[in-house]
Amino acid sequence: MLRKFFKSLFSHSFLIFMTIISIGPFLWLISTALKSKNENIFAYPPQFIPQHITLENFIGAWQQVPFMGYIINSTIVTVLTIVLNLLFASLAAYPLVRMEFNGRGGCFFATLATVMVPCQVIMIPLYLLTLRLNLVDSYGAVAGFAGMILPFGVSAFGILLMRQAFMAIPKELEEAAIIDGCNVFQIWWKVLMPLVKPSLATLAIFTFVGCWGEFLWPSIVLTKQEMFTLPVGLNYLQGFFSSNWRFISAGAIISTIPILIFFLALQKHFVGGQTQGAVKG
């Protein structure tokens, strides 16, 4: 009994310690954003709790750069990227699970191998291809958005995730749908897709977080400030000779709020066993 108590105590202490390490930087970001001008954010020893809590930094950061335009651009890019990922990943995963064709295993392993290739490795050829296709904002807003969205319209991680989700669905459901007269597309859309909502929600959240916080690729392909996404626009809060870290912290918190809202909206879908009991054993 005593051994079990110490084991539980060690486990909970370790989890609490890791939680503090994980959320510590974010809490310090909030503390910096809430401090007034008269407080030294670089004081030693560090003062975690602000002496005078103020929202002036959020107002100042909002007025410093066109936040609303950046948010609209990020929303357009993120929403369309999520839609394309959910659509293309599920369309690519279904044949890899249910259809028999030559080279199916090779296609799967080739797709899986791309996970090991960092995005930065293909950044230069991808940028040259984007230029050749005129998918930059110098050719218009539509071209600029397409240049940011299409390179990330599908990912190997999404295909792998949806493949595992489809593999967990009993084949008897598809056989019953075929008997009822459904074609392949109807089976995919009306039978399988409603049953993999937790995986779709998971893929949507991962795509949202990655796309909303993407800085490198938009900063490469965009040249017009009115086309900037939120991470690129926040860079303008940093001056050439000095930086207002209170404004930068406030802007970073503002950019984080949509991620929290999106996650809270979809967290109820993180449940398993959607197909349990659908087919009698």
Side-chain angles (χ1 to χ4, degrees), residues 28-29 32-33 45 48 58 79 100 109 119 123 125 129 145 150 195 197-198 215 240 250 262 267 276:
W28 182 256
L29 194 71
T32 304
F48 185 79
F58 293 91
V79 169
E100 297 290 341
F109 287 112
C119 181
M123 195 67 70
L129 180 62
F145 283 124
L150 293 180
L195 296 175
K197 286 182 179 179
F215 171 78
F240 288 103
F262 190 79
Q267 68 170 349
Q276 291 181 3

Side-chain angles (χ1 to χ4, degrees), residues 11-32:
S11 301
H12 285 80
S13 300
F14 178 75
L15 292 175
I16 292 174
F17 176 73
M18 294 303 298
T19 301
I20 294 174
I21 292 179
S22 300
I23 68 174
F26 184 72
L27 294 178
W28 182 256
L29 194 71
I30 297 177
S31 174
T32 304

